[in-house]
């Protein structure tokens, strides 16, 4: 497996994976978000390829730095591997690149989140060494005038 940092040259390989992860988002929104990711020095992304299929991306990860009251952390914003290539260490390899990126910035805390829309995500997180911190439920009530 080859893993490389995301660049402008990767858009044609990266955007289809983003669209697969977030099918309800418009292509324009995903493109604009990707541009912001590349332009922000506090964000990073990596693409995974198979050596024999270097032109085809099979996974990606995106992360961002946050500063919570003087306590910096890195956060995984997106993490996806094509289902055909899961359970081969690709997701863990992508995560390892984010971990090294954070550690090179003297950040020793990595967070991530998921929800019920991604049923395989909790097991992937646990398999990569994450511990569940909390289970969040959000409620809304529409009020009438």
């Amino acid at each position: 497996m080859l893993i490389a940092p995301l660049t402008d040259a990767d858009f044609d390989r990266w955007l289809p994976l983003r669209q697969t992860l977030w099918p309800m988002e418009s292509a324009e929104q995903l493109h604009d978000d990707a541009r912001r990711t590349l332009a922000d020095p506090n964000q990073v992304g990596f693409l995974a390829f198979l050596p024999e299929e270097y032109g085809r991306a099979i996974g990606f990860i995106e992360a961002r730095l946050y500063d919570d009251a003087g306590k910096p952390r890195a956060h995984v914003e997106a993490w996806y591997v094509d289902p055909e290539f899961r359970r081969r260490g690709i997701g863990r390899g992508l995560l390892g690149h984010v971990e090294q990126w954070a550690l090179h910035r003297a950040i020793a805390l990595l967070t991530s989140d998921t929800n019920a829309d991604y049923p395989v995500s909790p097991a992937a997180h646990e398999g990569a060494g994450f511990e569940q911190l909390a289970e969040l439920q959000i409620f809304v009530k529409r009020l009438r005038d």
Side-chain angles (χ1 to χ4, degrees):
M1 157 185 59
L2 301 172
I3 296 178
L6 286 166
T7 68
D8 287 329
D10 296 312
F11 262 79
D12 291 343
R13 297 182 284 190
W14 178 27
L15 289 176
L17 293 173
R18 293 182 106 242
Q19 187 72 55
T20 301
L21 181 60
W22 297 302
M24 301 305 286
E25 297 291 329
S26 72
E28 181 180 355
Q29 181 65 42
L30 291 170
H31 182 273
D32 292 347
D33 288 345
R35 285 274 176 226
R36 281 190 289 278
T37 296
L38 289 177
D40 185 344
N42 289 320
Q43 294 188 64
V44 70
F46 297 94
L47 275 180
F49 307 89
L50 292 178
E52 61 274 11
E53 296 184 47
Y54 182 69
R56 178 179 174 211
I58 58 170
F60 77 100
I61 194 165
E62 299 171 16
R64 165 182 266 187
L65 299 180
Y66 289 92
D67 191 334
D68 298 329
K71 296 178 182 175
R73 67 181 169 93
H75 182 80
V76 176
E77 299 287 348
W79 186 23
Y80 177 80
V81 175
D82 185 310
E84 177 184 352
F85 299 100
R86 291 181 183 161
R87 305 198 56 81
R88 298 185 191 185
I90 295 165
R92 200 172 286 196
L94 286 162
L95 187 62
H97 277 69
V98 166
E99 291 169 357
Q100 289 303 308
W101 173 78
L103 288 169
H104 283 293
R105 285 153 183 78
I107 296 172
L109 181 65
L110 179 62
T111 61
S112 185
D113 58 62
T114 190
N115 61 49
D117 292 340
Y118 309 99
V120 300
S121 187
H125 281 82
E126 289 173 11
F130 281 94
E131 299 173 22
Q132 183 174 337
L133 180 63
E135 193 165 326
L136 179 64
Q137 293 183 4
I138 299 173
F139 297 89
V140 64
K141 181 177 182 179
R142 306 260 181 233
L143 303 178
R144 295 182 187 185
D145 291 343

